[in-house]
Amino acid sequence: MIHNKHAARYVSKLSNKLRRRIDAFSCRDRMSGAEGRVLHFLLTQQGDLFQNDIEEEYSLRPSTATELLKKMEHHGLIRREPMSGDARMKRIVVSEEALGYRQQVLQDILQLEEELTRGIPEKDLDVFFRVIEQMMDNIS
Amino acid sequence: MIHNKHAARYVSKLSNKLRRRIDAFSCRDRMSGAEGRVLHFLLTQQGDLFQNDIEEEYSLRPSTATELLKKMEHHGLIRREPMSGDARMKRIVVSEEALGYRQQVLQDILQLEEELTRGIPEKDLDVFFRVIEQMMDNIS
DNA sequence: CTCAAAACCTTAGTTTCCTAAGTATAGGCT
DNA sequence: AGCCTATACTTAGGAAACTAAGGTTTTGAG
């Protein structure tokens, strides 16, 4: 290794700072941190989504995902519909109420993204994304 | 925003995967996740370290850091010595026992780092580190 | 039909983190 | 000296996140 910097530590540190920042989001008084993150994921993803996808996206164990989604369902953020074709799977659907937060959530994320990437050249961001993708491949 | 990729999500996702990976480290059966992370930090840092530094590094509240360090002390991983000059501060010292894990911890980290950066050009890593540093500045 | 695997759930316990309110010390400022 | 604010850390209590181990039901392959 030539670098004296540790990529793992850098990434973790930035991620922790981000968690802090995201906890200050406006909608946060109506849902927990994890619930907010998952809601944002649901709102920006297209196509059918299942518990499986949540587990993969956030590196969660099935039981953790179950508990989290159950809580979101109880809070009225999502519904879970049986999937025709495979009775084991339940499709996750964002509720009407949660769709009302959509604008705010997207706005918050957009603002964070702009703040985060301020002063960073486009080509550097391209490299950054490429490196992260490679790293995710490397350890998966 | 020109990118359709979200830097925040990318970083969080990689960080989660890393946490999983690090939890599988060999010494991990003798300490919890957070304890292991802090121990690694202590072992690779030079100069006096205080609770303050742990809070900053991991974006923790004082009470969280207190609890974590108290647990590490109880598990025999660290000691806390009164600081001459400022009676409010207590210096964190890695115990003899924990120093025994040193080689293993450093080895684990080095291996992860090599695995993580495999196939990524040196100059891309330079950009990567620069971008992360800028992002940390941007949101602090 | 049988059986392994997949998708998800349940339970019970641990770990991590937070808020809110404290103690004690330090370093001003008048 | 006395007062005030900030700093460093602590305590108490609770919420959130995670884990391991063991279900259920359904699927799909042999």
Side-chain angles (χ1 to χ4, degrees):
Chain A
M1 189 176 56
I2 298 146
H3 280 281
N4 54 348
K5 297 170 180 176
H6 287 188
R9 183 183 291 171
Y10 260 62
V11 170
S12 298
K13 188 167 181 175
L14 179 55
S15 178
N16 285 332
K17 280 179 187 283
L18 280 170
R19 176 177 52 77
R20 266 314 165 79
R21 186 67 175 59
I22 288 169
D23 280 347
F25 274 180
S26 51
C27 60
R28 207 27 73 73
D29 51 343
R30 279 172 264 186
M31 58 195 85
S32 79
E35 287 176 63
R37 267 176 283 155
V38 171
L39 182 58
H40 168 240
F41 178 66
L42 295 173
L43 287 174
T44 54
Q45 226 63 14
Q46 43 206 7
D48 288 353
L49 288 168
F50 302 91
Q51 180 168 320
N52 231 347
D53 302 308
I54 308 296
E55 289 165 21
E56 208 285 327
E57 177 68 18
Y58 296 102
S59 299
L60 298 177
R61 306 266 181 230
S63 59
T64 308
T66 296
E67 188 184 26
L68 179 53
L69 291 173
K70 201 162 65 176
K71 211 170 279 181
M72 291 181 75
E73 195 165 20
H74 189 255
H75 289 171
L77 296 171
I78 59 165
R79 286 195 319 277
R80 314 190 67 180
E81 299 180 342
M83 168 82 166
S84 66
D86 191 333
R88 292 170 303 179
M89 303 169 88
K90 293 181 190 170
R91 202 160 64 90
I92 301 169
V93 185
V94 178
S95 73
E96 282 302 314
E97 187 190 347
L99 279 174
Y101 301 149
R102 187 188 165 85
Q103 274 311 101
Q104 191 58 59
V105 169
L106 297 185
Q107 167 82 27
D108 283 344
I109 293 290
L110 185 63
Q111 191 181 325
L112 173 61
E113 197 64 19
E114 275 170 359
E115 187 183 334
L116 195 60
T117 57
R118 189 162 297 151
I120 300 175
E122 194 65 19
K123 65 172 178 41
D124 285 2
L125 281 177
D126 286 338
V127 174
F128 175 77
F129 283 118
R130 191 147 38 81
V131 167
I132 289 206
E133 277 164 9
Q134 180 68 56
M135 285 181 173
M136 287 203 266
D137 274 358
N138 283 350
I139 62 163
S140 61
Chain B
M1 187 177 57
I2 298 145
H3 280 282
N4 54 349
K5 297 170 182 178
H6 288 188
R9 182 184 290 172
Y10 261 62
V11 169
S12 299
K13 188 168 181 176
L14 179 55
S15 178
N16 285 334
K17 280 179 186 284
L18 281 170
R19 179 175 52 74
R20 283 256 172 239
R21 188 68 174 56
I22 288 169
D23 279 347
F25 275 0
S26 51
C27 61
R28 211 24 77 70
D29 49 344
R30 279 173 262 188
M31 60 195 83
S32 77
E35 288 177 62
R37 268 175 281 156
V38 171
L39 183 58
H40 167 240
F41 178 67
L42 295 173
L43 287 174
T44 54
Q45 225 64 14
Q46 43 206 6
D48 288 353
L49 287 170
F50 302 92
Q51 179 167 321
N52 229 347
D53 302 307
I54 307 296
E55 289 166 22
E56 208 285 326
E57 178 68 19
Y58 295 101
S59 297
L60 297 176
R61 305 278 180 218
S63 61
T64 309
T66 295
E67 186 184 29
L68 179 52
L69 291 172
K70 200 162 64 174
K71 211 168 278 182
M72 290 181 75
E73 195 165 22
H74 189 256
H75 290 169
L77 296 171
I78 59 164
R79 288 193 318 277
R80 313 191 67 179
E81 300 179 343
M83 168 83 167
S84 66
D86 191 332
R88 292 170 303 179
M89 303 169 89
K90 293 180 190 171
R91 201 160 65 91
I92 302 169
V93 185
V94 179
S95 73
E96 281 301 315
E97 188 191 346
L99 279 174
Y101 302 149
R102 188 188 165 84
Q103 274 310 103
Q104 190 58 58
V105 169
L106 298 185
Q107 166 81 27
D108 283 344
I109 293 291
L110 184 63
Q111 190 182 324
L112 173 61
E113 197 64 19
E114 274 170 359
E115 187 182 334
L116 195 60
T117 57
R118 188 162 299 151
I120 301 175
E122 195 64 20
K123 63 171 180 35
D124 285 2
L125 281 176
D126 287 339
V127 174
F128 175 77
F129 282 119
R130 191 148 37 80
V131 167
I132 288 207
E133 277 165 10
Q134 180 69 53
M135 285 182 173
M136 287 204 266
D137 274 357
N138 283 351
I139 61 164
S140 62

